[in-house]
Amino acid sequence: MGRGWVGDGSGLTGWRRFSRKVTVSGVITAGFELKPPPYPLDALEPHMSRETLDYHWGKHHKTYVENLNKQIVGTDLDGLSLEEVVLLSYNKGNMLPAFNNAAQAWNHEFFWESIKPEGGGKPAGELLRLIERDFGSFEDCLERFKSAAASQFGSGWTWLAYKANRLDVANAVNPLPKEEDKKIVIVKTPNAVNPLLWDYSPLLTIDTWEHAYYLDFEVPSKCQMIFTKFESNGSHRVVFYAEPKSSIHKHIHGQACVMGNGKLKARIRNG
Amino acid sequence: MAASTAVTANYVLKPPPYPLDALEPHMSKQTLEFHWGKHHRAYVDNLKKQVLGTELEGKTIDHIILNTYNNGDLLPAFNNAAQAWNHEFFWESMKPGGGGKPSGELLALLERDFTSYEKFYEEFNAAAATQFGAGWAWLAYANDKLKVVKTPNAVNPLVLGSFPLLTIDVWEHAYYLDFQNRRPDYIKTFMNNLVSWEAVSSRLEAAKAASSSA
């Protein structure tokens, strides 16, 4: 995925993704691709089943991409990068019809790339330094991340993001930017919303829509999902892992959740 | 102010008015076990804990819902209270051998306000299918008119000033075990095989009575 910082004097910064053009019999048509995760669909077992990937990537994510393509073909949004479509269709909160599909397409691609087989553990280097600076410790950051993900009511996402030069006011640009204003933050978003909209740089996400965990985890144990292993490539190209190692009992929504080494508590089968 | 028609004042996890396997094959026993036995139960249990020692303690669920909606700037107890209410209402909106077309006065009103049962079906289906993220679709009654509404997360028509008559839960947990991502199939199954028009009719009677005495 083409990605990098774009900055210019106007203050327009952010991730830039390159749109993909599909050539069909010599005619160039714009259309977003359903990119596969960077690992086979069963590679995350036993933490996330192949069945989940089959549905979550193969149906949910695929549908967002297909519907987005149908929605924007021949419109002004056609031919732009996915990120541009997300930002333009967000339309300052007065969302255009393409927003949900565009943002969900973006979010899911980002999600698959946030996790990996044999991921997890603790970050290192620059990312660890920043996390320790902004949260006190990695453990504290992880606890807060888990709480955020477990407490998002309804559908949504929880993010680790890098926030730079922004005041804590939507759409405001800090006129006196300082190094201290640049922070790593945890944010939760509802439905399809993501932190690109606030000009944050997403580093890591967990999908907390029920479809993300319903086939693998006994409900409503979102906490188990949170211990699944993560890796993320952040803006400073650092790598972040979440630690799932020890067995802990935790009460979420009044239910006891056993979390140990990502072990599945129950496998739910259809029929 | 709209009053609810069915849900009890106590914070009780009331069982559905049929055995958990009675809606098979349209809604599996496994779904009822999770949906009622875990999700609904958690809302009730958490509501109890949440209101303990606060001024909401001892108040009816309806009161809590109406007083914590706060014009959309939800107070903490809203989600659990409304979800407890919504789920009880949902189980009672279905019955074994349900579905199909209503008759009598209810059919007449649907035809009056939607031009035909088929148009109502289309509108209800569209609302349920297009509620993005978690939520509910409803048939509701207000100002002597029937209408279809969709709501996000835990919101329900009580806070919008209408009488709920029928609901379908479109949170993914409601259909994921039986239908996975195929929400349209779930909605169709609900309409064709599960809806309890008797429940809807009796709620409509209560709504009309409450409206005329208001």
Side-chain angles (χ1 to χ4, degrees), chain A residues 229-242:
Chain A
K229 300 164 174 182
F230 294 100
E231 172 203 279
S232 166
N233 288 316
S235 63
H236 298 268
R237 272 180 292 195
V238 293
V239 168
F240 169 52
Y241 302 88

Side-chain angles (χ1 to χ4, degrees), chain B residues 69-84:
Chain B
Y69 179 65
N70 196 29
N71 287 317
D73 188 11
L74 312 173
L75 301 179
F78 179 81
N79 285 336
N80 285 319
Q83 285 292 83

Side-chain angles (χ1 to χ4, degrees), chain A residues 108-126:
Chain A
H108 281 88
E109 196 173 315
F110 192 80
F111 177 55
W112 305 127
E113 292 171 357
S114 292
I115 54 182
K116 69 166 195 176
E118 311 307 315
K122 199 166 159 163
E126 175 70 356

Side-chain angles (χ1 to χ4, degrees), chain A residues 29-212:
Chain A
T29 55
F32 294 110
E33 277 176 16
L34 174 66
K35 195 178 158 194
Y39 36 76
L41 298 186
D42 61 357
L44 301 178
E45 299 237 354
H47 312 291
M48 190 182 284
S49 66
R50 196 225 154 91
E51 196 181 8
T52 288
L53 270 290
D54 280 340
Y55 281 106
H56 196 179
W57 173 77
K59 306 230 181 230
H60 288 273
H61 185 180
K62 182 166 189 233
T63 301
Y64 291 126
V65 173
E66 287 175 348
N67 288 342
L68 175 64
N69 286 335
K70 280 186 218 153
Q71 234 169 354
I72 65 172
V73 69
T75 71
D76 288 344
L77 295 174
D78 199 353
L80 300 179
S81 72
L82 185 55
E83 187 192 314
E84 284 167 327
V85 176
V86 170
L87 293 170
L88 289 170
S89 60
Y90 179 64
N91 196 30
K92 300 192 170 123
N94 192 11
M95 279 101 89
L96 303 179
F99 176 77
N100 284 337
N101 287 320
Q104 286 292 83
W106 194 98
N107 297 342
H108 281 88
E109 196 173 315
F110 192 80
F111 177 55
W112 305 127
E113 292 171 357
S114 292
I115 54 182
K116 69 166 195 176
E118 311 307 315
K122 199 166 159 163
E126 175 70 356
L127 182 56
L128 181 61
R129 183 187 76 76
L130 290 174
I131 287 175
E132 287 175 341
R133 182 195 70 182
D134 296 333
F135 290 93
S137 68
F138 170 70
E139 289 68 28
D140 189 66
C141 175
L142 187 59
E143 278 311 301
R144 287 170 188 267
F145 187 85
K146 282 165 9 192
S147 288
S151 63
Q152 174 61 28
F153 188 73
S155 305
W157 303 77
T158 292
W159 308 80
L160 196 71
Y162 181 73
K163 167 183 155 182
N165 279 340
R166 310 306 277 179
L167 297 172
D168 272 335
V169 174
N171 298 324
V173 178
N174 190 341
L176 298 170
K178 296 193 206 68
E179 267 313 296
E180 305 91 78
D181 293 328
K182 299 180 180 178
K183 280 179 124 50
I184 301 218
V185 293
I186 291 169
V187 289
K188 345 192 260 208
T189 59
N191 294 344
V193 174
N194 68 38
L196 291 177
L197 306 178
W198 311 312
D199 204 23
Y200 292 5
S201 300
L203 302 178
L204 173 69
T205 194
I206 180 172
D207 188 347
T208 60
W209 281 62
E210 288 172 327
H211 65 239

